Amino acid sequence: MTAMTTAEPSRRTRYPGPIAEARTHPHALVEQGFATDEALAEILHRYPAYLFDINLYDYDAEGQVSLRTGARGNLSGDQLLAAIQAGRLWVNLRQAQRGCSDLWSAAMGEFARIQATYPGMRAVTNAGQLIISSPVARVPYHFDPAGVVLFHLRGRKRLFVYPGDEAHLPEQAMEQVVARQTTEELPYKQAFEADARVIDLEPGEALTWPLYAPHRVENLDRFCVSLSMDFQTWPSRFRNGALYTNAVIRSRGGRPRLTDAMSTPELAARWAASLALRRVGGLKDRIADFARDFEPELGAVDGAGALRA
Ligand SMILES: [Fe+2]
């Protein structure tokens, strides 16, 4: 692990939670053989197609991202693995708890150990994505509405973790993400780079960061595999529910108070309201179904071939 900034303020996020700063923890998933080519090809081969996200990110000179998305296509697991290793693809296998349950059980054991190092941290739900990405893939600036432990399994990647203040993480943008109103990420400015904490991850290391902290990822010229485990605590559930309710209020022309200024009972009340709003379809999920642009193909530019379906 390399921390490239020296002065580390004690808290870099306005949201409460037991994790005050980005930190690595050792894990033992690599030596258990979960990330060999054979194991990965097998997972890719049998993973349900509807749980695949295949993304291809392009960046302009200002670091602004555009996204193309791929369909699973009909490659075998071996072929898909080869296309990722030679291409410029970012493949996210959702619901790892169902799709690769052996790896998931082992990771939950590691999670329990890591959680125990944070007094007061109590995850109530855990879910995960197995991320298999090309040597030059980069993930744009974003936040996850959850706690995250990123178990790194293969290759080297560089994580940039930013403060969770209003400048880097505007609440209105958080509402849009939580209510799934946009595939856009958070607004990003190159000036944020001066505020980044930079951490290089090696296989066998897991990284956590403060709840909601914005981050981005660059693979360091190696094919990379990570299991990204996200978790909810009661405080994160309340906060997400309040953000959802605020998104609905805003969509109806209201100007909701920021969750930042709310007490726990207020957050809990807005969370309860969000359950009712979701039941009646308070906001239509606008990113559930969007068109695909390509299929993975070994030998095609970036590993992205024409759609065949
Ligand atoms: Fe993330």
Side-chain angles (χ1 to χ4, degrees):
M1 181 192 129
T2 314
M4 294 188 184
T5 53
T6 46
E8 180 62 31
S10 59
R11 290 205 75 89
R12 309 230 309 163
T13 175
R14 66 201 193 284
Y15 294 115
I19 304 176
E21 60 176 10
R23 193 198 297 171
T24 56
H25 300 264
H27 72 77
L29 298 175
V30 178
E31 52 261 45
Q32 295 174 56
F34 289 116
T36 62
D37 277 0
E38 296 69 26
L40 295 170
E42 169 71 16
I43 287 173
L44 284 165
H45 196 69
R46 63 181 160 76
Y47 218 87
Y50 74 96
L51 294 177
F52 272 73
D53 290 327
I54 305 178
N55 292 349
L56 181 47
Y57 296 107
D58 290 295
Y59 298 85
D60 70 13
E62 273 77 51
Q64 300 299 318
V65 69
S66 56
L67 166 69
R68 283 175 281 165
T69 61
R72 163 67 178 83
N74 293 310
L75 298 185
S76 68
D78 289 326
Q79 292 168 324
L80 196 45
L81 184 66
I84 300 167
Q85 289 178 333
R88 200 161 61 79
L89 303 174
W90 185 85
V91 175
N92 183 41
L93 305 176
R94 296 192 311 276
Q95 298 184 29
Q97 61 277 21
R98 290 171 45 191
C100 43
S101 52
D102 294 347
L103 168 56
W104 183 257
S105 320
M108 282 300 286
E110 299 287 343
F111 176 82
R113 216 178 30 69
I114 292 169
Q115 174 167 256
T117 68
Y118 294 98
M121 187 161 122
R122 286 259 311 274
V124 287
T125 57
N126 295 66
Q129 301 86 43
L130 185 62
I131 301 167
I132 305 176
S133 54
S134 297
V136 295
R138 294 160 59 189
V139 179
Y141 187 77
H142 71 283
F143 85 103
D144 301 289
V148 176
V149 179
L150 185 68
F151 294 95
H152 195 49
L153 303 175
R154 259 182 86 167
R156 292 178 62 215
K157 56 174 55 170
R158 180 164 292 170
L159 269 287
F160 300 76
V161 182
Y162 304 80
D165 55 20
E166 179 69 18
H168 298 83
L169 181 66
E171 264 219 23
Q172 209 169 323
M174 297 174 76
E175 291 170 10
Q176 295 297 299
V177 171
V178 167
R180 294 173 60 86
Q181 294 301 291
T182 173
T183 58
E184 298 290 307
E185 308 293 354
L186 290 174
Y188 170 77
K189 298 192 192 96
Q190 270 175 339
F192 291 172
E193 292 312 314
D195 310 316
R197 169 108 192 266
V198 183
I199 298 134
D200 288 354
L201 270 190
E202 304 282 348
E205 292 182 323
L207 184 67
T208 56
W209 51 80
L211 190 62
Y212 300 105
H215 52 279
R216 66 183 185 86
V217 188
E218 290 183 0
N219 288 357
L220 296 175
D221 282 320
R222 314 243 172 107
F223 167 70
C224 281
V225 181
S226 311
L227 178 69
S228 175
M229 181 183 283
D230 53 72
F231 61 92
Q232 299 294 340
T233 60
W234 274 108
S236 72
R237 248 187 204 171
F238 286 167
R239 175 83 55 180
N240 290 346
L243 288 165
Y244 184 91
T245 297
N246 278 1
V248 174
I249 294 170
R250 203 181 294 282
S251 75
R252 296 173 180 171
R255 296 178 62 93
R257 288 173 60 221
L258 299 187
T259 64
D260 223 10
M262 291 181 189
S263 64
T264 299
E266 285 177 283
L267 290 168
R270 296 231 164 185
W271 164 73
S274 77
L275 300 182
L277 288 166
R278 283 181 197 272
R279 261 199 306 277
V280 300
L283 281 173
K284 192 168 152 42
D285 182 338
R286 293 194 186 163
I287 58 176
D289 217 26
F290 52 93
R292 308 289 172 178
D293 306 302
F294 65 87
E295 283 182 19
E297 183 182 322
L298 184 58
V301 175
D302 299 328
L307 280 174
R308 289 158 203 275

